[in-house]
Amino acid sequence: MSSPFSRRAHDPADPRSRRSGGGRSRSPRGRSRTPRTRPPLAPVAPVEQLWTAPEAGMPSFAELGLPGPVVGALAAHGFTEPFPIQAATLPDTLAGRDLLGRGQTGSGKTLAFGLALLSRLAGGRARPGRPRGLVLVPTRELAQQVDDALAPFARALGLSTAVIVGGLSFHRQAAAVQRGVDLVVATPGRLTDHLDQRTCDLAQVEVTVLDEADRMSDMGFLPQVKAILDRTPAGGQRLLFSATLDNEVGALVDRYLTDPVTRAVAPATAQVATMDHHVLLVEPAAKAAVVAHIAARDGRTILFARTKHGVDRLVKALRRQGVVAAALHGGKAQNARNRAIAEFKEGRTPVLVATDVAARGIHVDDVSLVVHVDPPADPKDYLHRAGRTARAGDSGTVVTLVTADERRDVERMMRLAGVRAAQTPVTAGGGELARITGARPPSGVPVAPPAAPAQQQSRRPRPGGRPSRGGRRRRPTAA
């Protein structure tokens, strides 16, 4: 009997084992002929298996099969019982199965795949330049937060981790990988740079995780993701975790996962029980004042705007009215983005104003209110923005500011998202706005703008391997 930890044998029927031949086919007489072609089949979304907790109660982390050091580290960090997505997936992933896992945002997906990955790597040692585990994520912020979440459990097992993202020093990343690192958490763009420069080799990767694969598809990263997966061993374990599993991930599943199990802990459009949704009907002329009153409330608040310039304008307006707010979007330098998130986590900045770059990259506890200042057009964007609150069983409120001409589109979008929300007309200073959001008048005392952080260089080597020392600087990777 083969072990579930053994590498898969070559199977001609396995699409990862096929070789694509070039040129034209030949008839038995030696004359070339044009092969008949068939239209490509559209990828089919995998069938989900909804998981329910056993009648005997939720199993313990030890009963799920996690190593003792991991169980001890979980207890030390206050994790006494697994979340459903963790209990649903860990038995299969620890056994080496390929898996597609879907859980609502904030349901504990990071530890679901991270604990399995680290446990599978336990006892081994990475060679210089050749990591043994890989997690691919769509954004820099999410990469850093995944690494932060997994670091205590990696240390408990004697494993090392590294983050490979754009906007940070290429050479420091390369040096870390060359020292030998067990797990790399990366964005596709910067990891591709390292692969092209041969500062990282994926030939020894045993477990690969795609986190937020649908978001990577939305951002146009799938070609890079496929090229990266092609450099990992065909027999390695592959895990795909996301808040949604739709047709966009079908091609990845068909090509790279072998006989995967699928696990979900709630229907894709299920509403989080601890999250309240409200549509606040506002007059266009009163919207700015309504936003200022909401932002002046007590507690951590995230405001979402549609564009980078809209975020910057809103932050300036709020600070002029006495609200301590910070901006987070893709146009900010990486160290500015890191500082904004750090100050938001620490409570020094109670209000974060962001574009959708942050919707899947902010994992901060105690965010009690999410505000769609500009309503999203896509139901997936709504759900991922909303998922910044009511995380891991906590309660939270999500409000969407809607003018009369936006009302029909927002109602349709929320139906597609499976969200039921009460509609309430509000005004700045009104009782309904205060009841729903805790809004209050801002102080009116201007807040000084934050000091501009020092620019951090992110040089990448020339194709010949030597760093550039002058002339035009290459633009850093977007991801």
Side-chain angles (χ1 to χ4, degrees):
M1 180 182 295
S2 62
S3 166
F5 289 85
S6 62
R7 299 173 65 86
R8 302 184 185 94
H10 173 77
D11 181 357
D14 187 343
R16 284 184 282 172
S17 299
R18 297 174 189 160
R19 294 185 180 181
S20 57
R24 296 178 295 177
S25 60
R26 293 276 178 180
S27 68
R29 295 181 179 179
R31 289 178 296 181
S32 63
R33 63 181 180 180
T34 302
R36 287 184 295 180
T37 59
R38 296 179 181 178
L41 297 176
V44 178
V47 178
E48 293 182 348
Q49 177 181 337
L50 288 179
W51 183 88
T52 56
E55 294 182 0
M58 194 71 72
S60 68
F61 284 114
E63 291 170 336
L64 291 174
L66 290 171
V70 173
V71 175
L74 285 164
H77 285 79
F79 296 101
T80 58
E81 184 179 83
F83 291 117
I85 189 63
Q86 297 159 6
T89 59
L90 280 169
D92 291 303
T93 52
L94 287 170
R97 294 288 303 275
D98 285 5
L99 181 137
L100 288 83
R102 184 186 57 74
Q104 292 164 325
T105 301
S107 61
K109 294 193 304 295
T110 300
L111 288 187
F113 67 73
L115 296 179
L117 187 159
L118 293 172
S119 299
R120 297 266 294 159
L121 299 181
R125 184 170 182 175
R127 296 168 55 187
R130 295 192 170 195
R132 302 166 53 229
L134 171 64
V135 178
L136 281 179
V137 298
T139 66
R140 304 170 187 177
E141 285 74 23
L142 184 54
Q144 187 59 61
Q145 295 194 54
V146 167
D147 185 71
D148 290 342
L150 299 187
F153 310 106
R155 287 194 296 269
L157 293 170
L159 301 174
S160 57
T161 68
V163 176
I164 292 183
V165 297
L168 299 177
S169 169
F170 183 98
H171 295 291
R172 289 180 183 175
Q173 294 169 359
V177 174
Q178 289 302 314
R179 285 193 295 269
V181 63
D182 296 291
L183 172 63
V184 162
V185 184
T187 51
R190 177 48 67 90
L191 181 57
T192 298
D193 291 339
H194 281 277
L195 295 175
D196 290 344
Q197 297 296 333
R198 300 182 181 181
T199 54
C200 183
D201 187 336
L202 303 182
Q204 300 298 317
V205 168
E206 301 170 26
V207 186
T208 303
V209 177
L210 301 184
D211 190 21
E212 308 293 8
D214 54 343
R215 181 61 171 166
M216 286 192 274
S217 174
D218 294 341
M219 297 173 72
F221 289 152
L222 280 194
Q224 289 177 317
V225 170
K226 292 177 181 178
I228 290 168
L229 289 175
D230 285 339
R231 297 200 187 198
T232 63
Q237 183 181 15
R238 273 100 183 238
L239 312 178
L240 189 153
F241 277 74
S242 182
T244 57
L245 296 177
D246 51 25
N247 290 339
E248 293 297 324
V249 304
L252 288 177
V253 174
D254 291 343
R255 181 171 175 179
Y256 295 105
L257 273 68
T258 298
D259 189 25
V261 294
T262 64
R263 294 289 183 267
V265 295
T269 57
Q271 194 162 317
V272 179
T274 57
M275 186 185 297
D276 295 325
H277 298 262
H278 296 269
V279 169
L280 305 184
L281 306 175
V282 298
E283 294 294 330
K287 184 173 179 178
V290 168
V291 173
H293 278 66
I294 294 174
R297 64 185 288 274
D298 281 329
R300 286 194 180 94
T301 306
I302 300 181
L303 311 180
F304 282 103
R306 185 172 298 114
T307 67
K308 302 172 187 177
H309 296 301
V311 167
D312 290 335
R313 285 195 300 269
L314 182 53
V315 167
K316 290 179 181 178
L318 292 175
R319 294 181 77 92
R320 282 197 298 267
Q321 297 180 70
V323 176
V324 180
L328 181 67
H329 58 68
K332 294 287 185 181
Q334 186 61 45
N335 51 355
R337 292 159 65 171
N338 292 344
R339 186 175 71 172
I341 291 178
E343 293 182 351
F344 184 62
K345 280 184 176 181
E346 296 163 3
R348 288 183 286 161
T349 300
V351 177
L352 193 64
V353 186
T355 58
D356 285 321
V357 71
R360 304 195 189 201
I362 302 177
H363 295 184
V364 179
D365 294 334
D366 301 325
V367 175
S368 54
L369 180 66
V370 167
V371 182
H372 304 287
V373 177
D374 295 327
D378 189 286
K380 288 195 296 184
D381 290 337
Y382 179 94
L383 293 173
H384 291 300
R385 288 179 175 189
R388 299 315 97 199
T389 187
R391 301 181 65 84
D394 290 339
S395 60
T397 301
V398 181
V399 301
T400 306
L401 304 184
V402 180
T403 59
D405 59 350
E406 297 170 328
R407 189 169 179 177
R408 179 177 297 180
D409 290 338
V410 169
E411 288 175 347
R412 178 179 178 275
M413 180 271 298
M414 296 186 82
R415 281 197 304 272
L416 293 174
V419 171
R420 296 178 299 278
Q423 298 191 7
T424 308
V426 297
T427 58
E432 284 297 283
L433 184 65
R435 177 184 67 82
I436 294 170
T437 67
R440 62 184 182 181
S443 69
V445 179
V447 177
Q455 293 295 317
Q456 182 173 8
Q457 294 186 356
S458 175
R459 290 183 178 177
R460 291 178 292 176
R462 295 176 176 177
R466 296 182 61 187
S468 171
R469 297 195 178 277
R472 182 179 298 177
R473 295 181 60 190
R474 298 180 65 181
R475 191 169 61 185
T477 307

